[in-house]
Amino acid sequence: MSGAQAARRRPTGARFGGVYQEEEAPAAPAPAAAAPRGARFAGAPVQPEPQPEAAAPPLAPPQRTGPELVSLAGRITALHQGGAAHESAALTAQAAVLLAPEDVARLAVLLHAQGPAGAAGYLARATVHGSPEQAAATLAGLRRAGLAEEAAGLFHALWGHPSSQLPPLLAALERHGLAGDGLTLLWERASAAPAELAALATALRAAGRAEDAHRLLHQATGRRSGELAATALELDETLAAELSAQAARLRSPADLAEYAAALTASPPRYRALLAAVAALDEPRRRSAVAALRALGLPLR
């Protein structure tokens, strides 16, 4: 699965009516579109939105008044209590990506206090189907509002972001003072499958986040030698050389020799590892060379 509209696992069972199975993520709105009004959103008439010009900057969703949000929370609750749990969930998911982030947090406060059990948490988690800015700003707003459980649910949902979307998400988290959360996301991703890990390191570098790519590869050096080699073979030669340099400094000679043996399938990557070994301090270099020699691996 990949992309902003990939299917995601949503909560099931009695906490919110037992209606959330594997569903298609709600489509993220065009950046300039205002949040819907009408009966589903507090009863105001629906007004057609003008189409923005191609060069026009994105417009933030209009901020909702307190009575509008109270009405919306009441609508969500009434639908659920009336047996229309699916409609209640759909309205909640729509609000998560169409309301301004500060209004999502305010709506979560209302649902936490008086809505169906689990509705506030579902609202928070559903913001991952919007833009990275929507998710990051909502996470910050939930924490300011003291909704620790809902904020934790949203943060855990962010772990499933596709690699291509992680660089803008990290940037959005930093803008909202949540850089530490970004570092945690990177730490979690270091255990991803080799192909996914390589794709993420490549995406980070392409987005100008070379330091994050370096940090990710550094964390990945703790993996089993075979997985580490599989990652190197998925990376381009520049990133693979960086991974090998870190492995040469951090792994034991025996582990490094196992890693090297798997790299012989790619002569350029194997030569980069030998260059990394040659750059080590003398005691460590001698130990690494002895381990390579013990496996009958070439030394040049």
Side-chain angles (χ1 to χ4, degrees):
M1 294 184 296
S2 63
Q5 298 183 26
R8 294 178 184 265
R9 178 70 61 183
R10 294 184 178 175
T12 62
R15 290 195 66 205
F16 202 54
V19 299
Y20 300 119
Q21 304 295 334
E22 190 83 9
E23 301 174 3
E24 283 298 310
R37 304 183 76 88
R40 286 165 64 84
F41 273 76
V46 175
Q47 299 294 334
E49 294 293 336
Q51 294 297 316
E53 296 181 3
L59 301 177
Q63 188 166 1
R64 299 295 169 168
T65 65
E68 284 181 307
L69 292 175
V70 169
S71 178
L72 177 55
R75 176 68 172 154
I76 290 170
T77 301
L79 283 169
H80 189 273
Q81 292 177 344
H86 285 283
E87 290 81 356
S88 177
L91 180 56
T92 305
Q94 188 180 38
V97 297
L98 292 179
L99 292 178
E102 58 268 29
D103 288 341
V104 176
R106 292 164 66 202
L107 179 59
V109 170
L110 294 171
L111 292 175
H112 180 89
Q114 64 190 41
Y122 177 67
L123 173 71
R125 292 189 299 274
T127 61
V128 301
H129 301 301
S131 67
E133 176 67 21
Q134 180 81 356
T138 299
L139 179 60
L142 291 170
R143 288 183 176 156
R144 286 194 299 269
L147 296 181
E149 182 178 352
E150 288 78 4
L154 170 55
F155 180 62
H156 292 154
L158 293 176
W159 294 2
H161 255 47
S163 296
S164 62
Q165 294 181 23
L166 197 57
L169 175 61
L170 295 176
L173 289 169
E174 290 168 358
R175 285 194 297 273
H176 291 280
L178 304 176
D181 292 290
L183 293 178
T184 301
L185 288 177
L186 279 178
W187 183 84
E188 289 291 336
R189 287 302 184 90
S191 62
E196 182 181 352
L197 182 63
L200 178 54
T202 301
L204 289 168
R205 185 185 59 183
R209 302 186 68 91
E211 183 177 348
D212 283 335
H214 175 86
R215 185 178 291 113
L216 180 71
L217 295 178
H218 177 83
Q219 291 163 345
T221 57
R223 299 179 63 160
R224 291 181 296 182
S225 298
E227 294 176 344
L228 194 61
T231 302
L233 293 172
E234 292 282 351
L235 292 166
D236 66 25
E237 291 186 16
T238 300
L239 287 173
E242 180 176 347
L243 180 61
S244 290
Q246 297 200 45
R249 290 192 301 270
L250 300 173
R251 298 301 291 264
S252 70
D255 287 344
L256 189 63
E258 290 183 10
Y259 171 69
L263 287 188
T264 56
S266 172
R269 286 161 179 77
Y270 186 79
R271 287 194 295 271
L273 174 62
L274 291 180
V277 168
L280 296 173
D281 61 75
E282 184 61 22
R284 188 166 182 83
R285 185 190 67 79
R286 285 200 307 266
S287 297
V289 168
L292 295 175
R293 185 179 291 117
L295 289 185
L297 298 174
L299 300 179
R300 60 177 63 185

